[in-house]
């Protein structure tokens, strides 16, 4: 079974609208971390936001927020007020356990296209 | 504070040749990771260093692959006798033991080296 599932291969949104990118995860470890990265066409993976499994509140970073529903094992990324520069590939990733130095497990990504 | 850098950005080689990639992590980051990303997929973990010690290797890292981090700063990834299946983007990431990212151990990625094996 896949550890990280991103079911939306592509999403389309107009400028200034909000968009939600879906991510579900699968782990039996009680301690884990969830990350979202943005990958523009240039290739660099840009860290956006982090949510720890024990965090009581949903993470927010500027226009990015993470809708964390632990019981459903979902960690959806919400981008508010989309901009043309948000057009990119978005990856959800998980680190299992609480040991530093653990590899990230990535989903297959969602391509976001923002139009004017 | 400069980010993670990788060199070269692109490499085209013929099957059977050896290639070497370099990664310079964020200064003072003691953890360094290599990932491989093929078209349409997310990155897959290859190997991890803490300082100069290689602490974890994925089963994806066949015996044709070798990685080093001799002085605990930059790292190299060498692929011997390249095959067409090695064509991919090779990404390097680093993270910091201590500092503001301690609780998350956030990995920061470089721009990647895109390898094409003809």
């Amino acid at each position: 079974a896949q550890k990280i599932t991103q079911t939306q291969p592509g999403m389309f949104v107009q400028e200034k609208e909000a968009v939600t990118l879906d991510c579900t995860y699968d782990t039996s470890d009680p301690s884990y971390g969830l990350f979202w990265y943005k990958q523009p066409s240039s290739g660099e993976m840009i860290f956006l936001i982090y949510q720890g499994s024990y965090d009581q509140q949903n993470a927010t970073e500027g226009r990015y927020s993470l809708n964390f529903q632990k019981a459903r094992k979902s960690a959806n990324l919400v981008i508010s007020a989309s901009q043309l520069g948000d057009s990119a590939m978005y990856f959800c990733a998980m680190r299992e356990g609480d040991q530093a130095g653990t590899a990230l497990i990535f989903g297959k990504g969602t391509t976001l296209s923002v139009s004017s | 504070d400069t980010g993670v850098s990788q060199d070269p950005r692109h490499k085209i080689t013929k099957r059977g040749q050896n290639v070497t990639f370099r990664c310079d992590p964020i200064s003072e980051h003691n953890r360094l990771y290599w990932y491989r990303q093929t078209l349409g997929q997310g990155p897959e973990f290859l190997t991890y260093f803490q300082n100069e010690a290689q602490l974890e290797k994925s089963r994806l890292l066949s015996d044709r692959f070798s990685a080093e981090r001799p002085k605990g700063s930059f790292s190299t990834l060498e692929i011997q006798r390249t095959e067409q299946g090695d064509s991919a983007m090779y990404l390097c990431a680093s993270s910091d033991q201590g500092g503001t990212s301690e609780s998350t151990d956030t990995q920061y990625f470089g721009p990647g080296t895109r390898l094409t094996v003809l």
Side-chain angles (χ1 to χ4, degrees):
Chain A
Q2 288 189 11
K3 293 267 188 178
I4 296 287
T5 303
Q6 295 181 254
T7 57
Q8 307 153 314
M11 289 288 285
F12 298 87
V13 68
Q14 289 216 315
E15 259 187 309
K16 301 178 185 177
E17 291 185 349
V19 62
T20 298
L21 306 183
D22 294 342
C23 173
T24 58
Y25 59 93
D26 182 24
T27 181
S28 57
D29 201 311
S31 178
Y32 52 88
L34 298 159
F35 300 78
W36 277 92
Y37 287 86
K38 171 184 177 181
Q39 188 176 42
S41 56
S42 58
E44 183 172 357
M45 299 282 286
I46 301 167
F47 166 69
L48 296 178
I49 196 166
Y50 166 82
Q51 180 85 42
S53 58
Y54 296 119
D55 292 344
Q56 296 296 313
Q57 293 190 332
N58 287 343
T60 60
E61 286 287 348
R63 294 187 299 111
Y64 304 109
S65 60
L66 204 151
N67 184 2
F68 181 46
Q69 297 187 44
K70 195 169 182 177
R72 296 181 59 187
K73 293 189 173 179
S74 74
N76 299 339
L77 177 70
V78 181
I79 305 175
S80 63
S82 297
Q83 301 172 357
L84 294 178
D86 294 335
S87 294
M89 194 79 162
Y90 288 80
F91 289 95
C92 179
M94 176 173 65
R95 183 191 64 235
E96 292 184 292
D98 55 8
Q99 291 283 342
T102 304
L104 294 176
I105 303 165
F106 286 83
K108 292 189 175 183
T110 296
T111 301
L112 176 65
S113 299
V114 181
S115 59
S116 56
Chain B
D1 190 19
T2 58
V4 178
S5 61
Q6 293 187 245
D7 184 69
R9 295 291 307 276
H10 303 273
K11 178 71 177 179
I12 300 174
T13 191
K14 293 182 178 179
R15 188 177 54 186
Q17 298 294 305
N18 299 342
V19 294
T20 300
F21 309 141
R22 176 178 170 127
C23 170
D24 287 88
I26 294 171
S27 58
E28 298 180 359
H29 274 195
N30 65 339
R31 301 188 187 120
L32 188 147
Y33 311 76
W34 285 98
Y35 291 82
R36 183 176 72 182
Q37 185 180 20
T38 53
L39 205 59
Q41 302 294 319
E44 295 175 291
F45 170 73
L46 292 177
T47 190
Y48 156 65
F49 290 86
Q50 180 158 319
N51 299 312
E52 66 275 7
Q54 188 173 19
L55 296 185
E56 192 176 347
K57 291 195 287 187
S58 158
R59 59 176 175 76
L60 293 176
L61 210 69
S62 76
D63 55 6
R64 295 185 299 105
F65 288 69
S66 63
E68 293 183 343
R69 195 182 183 198
K71 296 182 180 179
S73 56
F74 73 91
S75 175
T76 58
L77 177 68
E78 181 183 16
I79 309 174
Q80 296 183 327
R81 305 181 304 281
T82 52
E83 302 173 355
Q84 288 184 326
D86 297 331
S87 295
M89 174 80 92
Y90 290 83
L91 292 163
C92 175
S94 69
S95 68
D96 179 23
Q97 183 172 7
T100 58
S101 63
E102 170 66 16
S103 62
T104 71
D105 196 37
T106 298
Q107 295 179 27
Y108 295 92
F109 284 79
T113 294
R114 186 172 297 281
L115 173 66
T116 302
V117 182
L118 302 176

